[in-house]
Amino acid sequence: QSVLTQPPSVSGAPGQRVTISCTGSSSNIGAGYDVHWYQQLPGTAPKLLIYGNSNRPSGVPDRFSGSKSGTSASLAITGLQAEDEADYYCQSYDSSLSGSKYVFGTGTKVTVL
Amino acid sequence: EVQLVESGGGLVKPGGSLRLSCAASGFTFSNAWMSWVRQAPGKGLEWVGRIKSKTDGGTTDYAAPVKGRFTISRDDSKNTLYLQMNSLKTEDTAVYYCTTLIVATIRRFFDYWGQGTLVTVSS
């Protein structure tokens, strides 16, 4: 059972901007823990896309950006491209006594129309 | 180039055991914290457990669904991470990914991922 909530799907035409929300609580994102994002292309392993709320690893295009505020975070993709069609997951750390410590979002499927 | 290559997956009956391996290269394995993350068919990602580097104590931590059944270990001389899975249940069916784990106060994330190995628990 995922602790972080994401919309199941978002879609956009090539060139458009789409955003994916990630809603947590006071024991994870709201407690100050960073949010990270992963991209999973069809049939492949997840890949780190954004770390520390808004930092891109080397090689990740700058059309991907992240932000965090309060108990939520967002991933934005500007200039949407066909190769961006994938599943996206947010991830943080949860400090509550019960449950998983490293928590993931429910995942969002991005469709390029 | 960092490489993580998992092996050992397969079909096992409920109640059975399986050991997964993850061969690491391209970085100083002995200094790395490592983790296992799984993904059930058609589902999202779920953290399984982690092991610290020996310099940081080498201790392990597990998610509640696998605690007491799964054991993570490492052989730094072979640059290899292991996941021993006992008392397997049908709900353990998933692709298991080996990952590096970065932990720095409020910043805790999975840096590099292997390609995954499929474990199917079925009678």
Side-chain angles (χ1 to χ4, degrees):
Chain A
Q1 56 282 16
S2 298
V3 174
L4 306 179
T5 302
Q6 300 177 231
S9 64
V10 299
S11 61
Q16 283 191 329
R17 179 178 187 268
V18 296
T19 62
I20 300 169
S21 59
C22 173
T23 303
S25 68
S26 59
S27 63
N28 41 69
I29 299 174
Y33 292 103
D34 281 354
V35 177
H36 320 286
W37 293 88
Y38 304 87
Q39 178 192 57
Q40 187 173 32
L41 296 170
T44 70
K47 179 189 100 168
L48 180 65
L49 190 68
I50 296 284
Y51 68 94
N53 305 320
S54 59
N55 300 287
R56 288 185 307 276
S58 174
V60 173
D62 60 7
R63 63 177 185 276
F64 294 94
S65 62
S67 63
K68 173 191 159 185
S69 178
T71 58
S72 296
S74 289
L75 173 72
I77 311 173
T78 55
L80 194 63
Q81 297 186 7
E83 59 258 38
D84 299 334
E85 194 159 282
D87 293 324
Y88 294 82
Y89 295 90
C90 60
Q91 176 256 314
S92 187
Y93 184 85
D94 194 287
S95 57
S96 61
L97 291 176
S98 63
S100 180
K101 295 182 175 65
Y102 297 87
V103 291
F104 288 94
T106 47
T108 299
K109 182 172 182 58
V110 169
T111 301
V112 182
L113 301 172
Chain B
E1 180 198 2
V2 171
Q3 282 204 317
L4 298 169
V5 180
E6 302 93 336
S7 61
L11 175 63
V12 61
K13 288 182 167 48
S17 298
L18 205 59
R19 188 177 84 155
L20 306 183
S21 299
C22 170
S25 61
F27 64 103
T28 306
F29 179 77
S30 59
N31 291 345
W33 290 31
M34 301 294 296
S35 188
W36 290 94
V37 175
R38 69 184 180 181
Q39 185 172 35
K43 303 295 184 183
L45 301 170
E46 180 185 25
W47 174 69
V48 172
R50 68 101 177 109
I51 185 167
K52 294 182 179 180
S53 63
K54 285 197 167 51
T55 1
D56 289 324
T59 55
T60 54
D61 193 13
Y62 301 94
V66 308
K67 203 165 189 176
R69 299 189 298 122
F70 288 14
T71 302
I72 298 175
S73 61
R74 61 192 301 158
D75 186 336
D76 291 344
S77 68
K78 295 182 178 178
N79 286 352
T80 301
L81 178 74
Y82 301 101
L83 178 64
Q84 177 67 44
M85 303 184 293
N86 298 330
S87 304
L88 282 160
K89 306 175 181 180
T90 55
E91 52 264 40
D92 295 320
T93 294
V95 174
Y96 285 74
Y97 296 103
C98 164
T99 81
T100 55
L101 174 60
I102 303 298
V103 174
T105 58
I106 61 171
R107 185 164 293 183
R108 308 178 186 204
F109 63 97
F110 308 97
D111 198 3
Y112 293 97
W113 298 62
Q115 88 288 350
T117 187
L118 176 63
V119 172
T120 303
V121 185
S122 174
S123 53

